[in-house]
Amino acid sequence: MRALQTAALLVATLGAGLMAGLFAAFAYAVMPGLARSADRTFVQAMQHINRAILNGWFLVSFLLPIPLLVLATVLAWNGHGRVALPWILAALVLYLAGFFVTSGVNVPLNNALDKADTGDHSRAEAARAAFEGRWATWNTVRALLHTVAFGLLAWALFLHGTAGAV
């Protein structure tokens, strides 16, 4: 069971780290870079990014940590590494909060932007105005949530690894 718990924690930590890095990169590089572009370019670039990101690599990295964190919680509760349990639970709560921000705010904004017509300047400008500020704000929130979850999981993994060490 210890090996399963270690594997679940390790893979969940990697997934949380990948998501933290992705969302943070959007916050400090992608969105500021796109902010310098024309409205039509901005909308089209985000449409292409939002379509491209829907792939197996993203979905596995984004979704797999949730059941693994539940499994790690159950295993910590019932066995070895209970010292890491509060950190795993806190990470699970924060990861789920980030998941709900993504599914409840960012994805609906992506879907609305996907339908935007960029045929003329005023429509591209309106689509951007309805999307950019709100999306960027909530992306920063989910980046912070996933980053803290990643840090908590790294600490939980350390505690799990040292539990039982003399």
Side-chain angles (χ1 to χ4, degrees):
M1 285 299 181
R2 180 165 166 74
L4 178 60
Q5 185 180 14
T6 302
L9 264 176
L10 180 61
V11 175
T13 303
L14 290 172
L18 287 169
M19 290 302 97
L22 174 68
F23 298 145
F26 265 88
Y28 62 70
V30 175
M31 297 307 287
L34 288 176
R36 296 180 172 110
S37 62
D39 295 332
R40 184 173 183 206
T41 302
F42 174 90
V43 171
Q44 288 177 335
M46 284 304 298
Q47 286 172 332
H48 292 304
I49 291 167
N50 290 333
R51 291 174 193 149
I53 203 166
L54 295 177
N55 63 66
W57 293 108
F58 170 77
L59 293 174
V60 167
S61 298
F62 183 58
L63 296 175
L64 188 59
I66 296 169
L68 291 176
L69 285 171
V70 171
L71 176 61
T73 299
V74 170
L75 292 172
W77 187 279
N78 292 325
H80 185 80
R82 196 168 172 106
V83 67
L85 181 61
W87 305 100
I88 298 168
L89 279 171
L92 175 59
V93 168
L94 291 174
Y95 196 92
L96 285 172
F99 175 85
F100 288 122
V101 166
T102 298
S103 61
V105 180
N106 293 90
V107 169
L109 287 169
N110 292 348
N111 292 340
L113 189 70
D114 191 54
K115 296 177 180 112
D117 179 7
T118 60
D120 68 47
H121 176 72
S122 64
R123 285 186 284 211
E125 182 181 34
R128 180 180 187 166
F131 176 85
E132 185 176 18
R134 189 163 180 233
W135 193 95
T137 297
W138 284 101
N139 178 68
T140 300
V141 169
R142 68 184 178 168
L144 290 170
L145 290 166
H146 285 279
T147 300
V148 175
F150 172 68
L152 292 171
L153 285 171
W155 183 247
L157 197 55
F158 170 78
L159 292 174
H160 171 74
T162 59
V166 188

